[in-house]
Structure formats: C-alpha cells, structure tokens
Amino acid sequence: AQSVTQLGSHVSVSEGALVLLRCNYSSSVPPYLFWYVQYPNQGLQLLLKYTSAATLVKGINGFEAEFKKSETSFHLTKPSAHMSDAAEYFCAVSDQGTYKYIFGTGTRLKVLA
Amino acid sequence: DAGITQSPRHKVTETGTPVTLRCHQTENHRYMYWYRQDPGHGLRLIHYSYGVKDTDKGEVSDGYSVSRSKTEDFLLTLESATSSQTSVYFCAISESKSSGRPEQFFGPGTRLTVL
C-alpha cells in the first residue's frame, strides 16, 4: 500500500534562511503528489501539486517542490523564510486509479526572528 | 474559496452517545471525504464518497458510518462515541478529471470532544 513519509515533525529556520521540508513516497509507480499548508485552527489549503508536466513545480507564497523519481521524493523548498510561513505542512499522494489521498504526518515549521 | 461548510464546528459529548457531523458543499463536486486529524498522525481517511449513495472505507473506518443522499451533503456518524474518537474532523471535496488529479478542498473542521 502507498505510504508517505515526512522526515522531521518539527523544523526551525531563521527568518531569511532556506526552508527545506522532506517528503518521500513508497510506490514504484509515481503517484500524484501534493503539498498543503495548515495555519492554526484552519483547514488545509493547497500549496502546489505535481502534474507530470514538469519536475520542478512552483506554488503559492514562493514555495516550490522538485519531483525526483529516482529518489521517490517530492521535497518542498523556499529560498527565504518569512515569519508568515510558520504553519504545519503536509505532503499527500494519490495513486493512479484511485481517488484516495494519503497524507504524511506533517511537519510543523517554526520561523525564528 | 471552495464552498464547504461543516457543522457543528465544536461539539462536546459523552461516551456512548451518537454523534452526526455534517459536511455541505456548494461546488457540485463528485468526491467527498472525511478525515480525522490527530497529533503525530497527520490526516487519516475515515470514509469517502464517489457519488450519491456510493461510499467506501478509509484506513480508520471502525466505529464510523457515512451517508450521502444528495450531492451536496456528506454525513459522518459515530454510532456510540468513545474517548478515542476525540479529534478534529475535516471534510474535503474534489472533482474528477479526464487527466491529471485534482486537488482537494478542505472545510474548516469540527472539533469533537468525547468525555
């Protein structure tokens, strides 16, 4: 069965520093891949999604993610962290042939002044 | 923003009582989902629906049932609530596409406490 691993349940970065949040999936057939963000006491909202058109995907708020099939990874990055980026981030996958979505356990990002 | 509402937004109940949570959408999307969110577990799928009266189990379906009699409404029922079902419940919707995979849109969540 498909699974998603997010390494690091908590990540702290300084304001202006690079943000790197890791996501690995398990299947040999590349699934559909998504990153969502959740601000306190809110639902999740889409940051970006991998559609197979390009391996580097740009999302909202300056985030981007690179799909690497050889590493079964879809890591999320942002060149310069802002205080407003503090939130919880979830990686999700959906296998072809199913409309189920599997979520990782989340990474809480803290941005230090 | 996608038109998804959840009711109630907060509920406190006692062990053994039945509870029904409602998800309502105005987007006419085909797929609807119920998740629970718990610290350290992320979001886990409880049940989902792929059309009116068409539902299927997710990874944590024990103790939960669902119904979808109209496109816009997806109900989640805890027949006899237990303390282990204390959680934040999210509804999500998505639409089918001929190619690619659409993202999900999430409701604001329902915080349920079972005493």
Side-chain angles (χ1 to χ4, degrees), chain B residues 58-72:
Chain B
E59 59 183 308
V60 290
S61 59
D62 287 349
Y64 302 95
S65 62
V66 290
S67 66
R68 191 172 178 197
S69 58
K70 298 184 290 184
T71 299
E72 58 266 35

Side-chain angles (χ1 to χ4, degrees), chain B residues 54-106:
Chain B
D54 292 324
T55 65
D56 202 356
K57 295 179 179 180
E59 59 183 308
V60 290
S61 59
D62 287 349
Y64 302 95
S65 62
V66 290
S67 66
R68 191 172 178 197
S69 58
K70 298 184 290 184
T71 299
E72 58 266 35
D73 289 326
F74 193 32
L75 303 180
L76 176 70
T77 298
L78 291 64
E79 301 289 348
S80 178
T82 68
S83 58
S84 64
Q85 294 175 311
T86 292
S87 186
V88 180
Y89 291 85
F90 286 100
C91 174
I93 64 174
S94 70
E95 188 50 277
S96 58
K97 277 188 174 181
S98 57
S99 63
R101 180 59 48 83
E103 65 269 31
Q104 292 179 303
F105 298 95
F106 284 82

Side-chain angles (χ1 to χ4, degrees), chain A residues 26-78:
Chain A
S26 63
S27 67
S28 58
V29 177
Y32 298 101
L33 296 155
F34 307 83
W35 274 100
Y36 289 87
V37 61
Q38 183 182 34
Y39 298 102
N41 299 314
Q42 294 185 24
L44 281 70
Q45 53 183 280
L46 183 73
L47 270 179
L48 50 82
K49 63 180 180 181
Y50 170 65
T51 62
S52 75
T55 57
L56 185 63
V57 182
K58 295 189 183 300
I60 63 172
N61 301 337
F63 284 92
E64 59 183 36
E66 186 173 8
F67 171 69
K68 292 187 176 180
K69 183 178 178 180
S70 61
E71 299 177 6
T72 61
S73 68
F74 191 56
H75 300 333
L76 182 71
T77 60
K78 182 174 180 178

